[in-house]
């Protein structure tokens, strides 16, 4: 990178800390004030910085507009897909990616299990919002008032004896998910289907999507599936970093270490006749 470009770009993180005058910019860059002024004028012409009436400079509106445009044009599915494929290759189970849009949690990507028992989940189909691991992750990140409004608006179908029974129980579970940074669905939608999931975050630390691994208990037990949680979380963190352009993302919430009681997943025998599980809610 040329020295001029390097110096100009170095001004931006300086002004992100707050407005600065010409002397402060020159001192930070280690250059003469005439050089700093030339750089600032160029950035000002392009709307990247703005000179206030007190002669101090701050970040310009054009910079924020470009950042917003870049975020809006990010395709989390495109970024996540290679990571989801890699996760599937590591564990062999069904992998989902979901987002929260217009009061629904929707699958936007899926990588099929390599095992004979498969799931009928489909891209574009809403999930069972009160039990699905990805739904819990996405709703848990909402501000508390919005979270409560959403929870109280939902109905709570009794899919299985393990389904979430009411809004109070759902809010307690969302609070736990928000604290620990991961979520599960162990038979909440179907008694035979288990799922573990982790959040994908943007540069501001907010959850933009969620990924999960699901498997029927005839293939792997809930405890064995839970042992994959560190791998799922690492995958979500890798997607978060790439989605954020390599920028640091918020650290995982407290208490989100390896799940207690986890065991090593076994390798189910091959050669079984192909079966189809019902719609998963992961």
């Amino acid at each position: 990178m040329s020295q001029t470009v390097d110096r100009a770009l170095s001004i931006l993180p300086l002004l992100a800390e707050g407005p600065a005058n010409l002397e402060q910019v020159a001192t930070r860059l280690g250059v003469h004030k005439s050089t700093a002024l030339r750089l600032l004028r160029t950035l000002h012409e392009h709307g990247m910085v703005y000179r206030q009436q007190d002669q101090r400079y701050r970040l310009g509106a054009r910079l924020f507009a470009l950042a917003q445009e870049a975020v809006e044009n990010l395709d989390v599915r495109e970024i996540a897909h290679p990571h989801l494929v890699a996760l599937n290759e590591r564990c062999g189970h069904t992998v989902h990616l979901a987002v929260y849009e217009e009061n629904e949690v929707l699958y936007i990507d899926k990588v099929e299990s390599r095992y004979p028992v498969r799931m009928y989940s489909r891209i574009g189909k809403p999930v069972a919002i009160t039990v699905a691991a990805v739904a819990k992750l996405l709703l848990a990140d909402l501000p508390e008032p919005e979270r409560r409004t959403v929870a109280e608006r939902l109905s709570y179908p009794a899919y299985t004896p393990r389904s979430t029974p009411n809004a109070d129980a759902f809010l307690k579970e969302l609070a736990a998910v928000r604290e620990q940074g991961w979520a599960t669905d162990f038979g909440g939608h179907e008694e035979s289907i288990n799922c573990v999931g982790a959040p994908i975050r943007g540069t501001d630390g907010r959850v933009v999507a969620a990924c999960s691994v699901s498997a029927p208990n005839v293939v792997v037990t809930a405890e064995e599936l839970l042992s994959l949680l560190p791998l799922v979380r690492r995958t979500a963190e890798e997607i978060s970093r790439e989605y954020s352009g390599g920028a640091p993302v918020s650290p995982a919430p407290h208490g989100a270490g390896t799940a207690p009681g986890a065991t090593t997943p076994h390798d189910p025998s091959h050669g079984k006749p192909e079966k189809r599980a019902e719609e998963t809610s992961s």
Side-chain angles (χ1 to χ4, degrees):
M1 183 184 296
S2 73
Q3 188 178 53
T4 300
V5 174
D6 182 65
R7 286 171 173 171
L9 291 177
S10 296
I11 292 174
L12 301 179
L14 165 62
L15 298 185
E17 299 172 6
N21 60 31
L22 177 61
E23 184 175 354
Q24 290 170 321
V25 172
T27 300
R28 177 70 71 90
L29 296 181
V31 299
H32 192 273
K33 286 197 290 187
S34 61
T35 300
L37 180 59
R38 185 171 64 252
L39 294 171
L40 285 165
R41 281 176 173 170
T42 300
L43 291 172
H44 184 271
E45 288 171 2
H46 289 275
M48 301 300 175
V49 305
Y50 177 78
R51 190 175 66 178
Q52 302 177 158
Q53 290 187 349
D54 62 3
Q55 305 306 308
R56 293 189 301 165
Y57 293 84
R58 61 170 171 81
L59 294 179
R62 176 61 177 156
L63 186 64
F64 293 107
L66 286 173
Q68 182 62 33
E69 184 177 355
V71 169
E72 290 174 354
N73 288 330
L74 281 176
D75 185 345
V76 68
R77 181 184 183 277
E78 181 179 355
I79 292 169
H81 186 74
H83 298 277
L84 304 181
V85 171
L87 175 59
N88 170 266
E89 290 173 349
R90 290 282 302 275
C91 71
H93 305 304
T94 302
V95 177
H96 288 107
L97 180 70
V99 295
Y100 181 57
E101 291 183 354
E102 298 181 356
N103 300 317
E104 289 186 321
V105 176
L106 305 171
Y107 293 125
I108 61 171
D109 203 0
K110 176 185 179 182
V111 185
E112 289 280 7
S113 168
R114 67 167 174 253
Y115 296 110
V117 181
R118 298 196 175 184
M119 302 174 189
Y120 279 127
S121 53
R122 297 191 303 274
I123 295 173
K125 183 177 179 65
V127 309
I129 197 168
T130 59
V131 292
V134 289
K136 295 170 189 175
L137 290 160
L138 291 160
L139 297 184
D141 190 62
L142 296 176
E144 196 279 333
E146 185 178 354
R147 210 183 321 153
R148 179 168 293 277
T149 298
V150 171
E152 291 175 349
R153 185 178 64 236
L154 294 172
S155 58
Y156 291 85
Y159 301 110
T160 78
R162 297 182 181 180
S163 298
T164 308
N166 53 52
D168 286 342
F170 193 45
L171 286 168
K172 287 180 181 178
E173 187 162 9
L174 293 183
V177 168
R178 187 181 180 94
E179 173 67 19
Q180 69 193 14
W182 49 273
T184 62
D185 171 16
F186 289 159
H189 188 222
E190 293 183 67
E191 292 185 86
S192 62
I193 303 294
N194 299 310
C195 173
V196 295
I200 295 166
R201 300 179 183 275
T203 52
D204 59 358
R206 298 299 304 273
V207 175
V208 296
C211 65
S212 66
V213 169
S214 304
N217 56 25
V218 296
V219 172
V220 63
T221 67
E223 291 76 15
E224 290 167 334
L225 189 66
L226 194 59
S227 72
L228 296 175
L229 179 60
L231 178 59
V232 176
R233 296 191 67 215
R234 283 198 299 272
T235 299
E237 289 164 5
E238 289 167 2
I239 298 170
S240 298
R241 280 194 293 271
E242 187 170 343
Y243 183 82
S244 302
V249 295
S250 299
H254 176 69
T258 302
T263 59
T264 302
H266 72 282
D267 182 13
S269 60
H270 297 277
K272 297 179 182 178
E274 179 161 345
K275 302 176 183 177
R276 287 275 176 179
E278 294 298 321
E279 177 70 79
T280 179
S281 63
S282 67

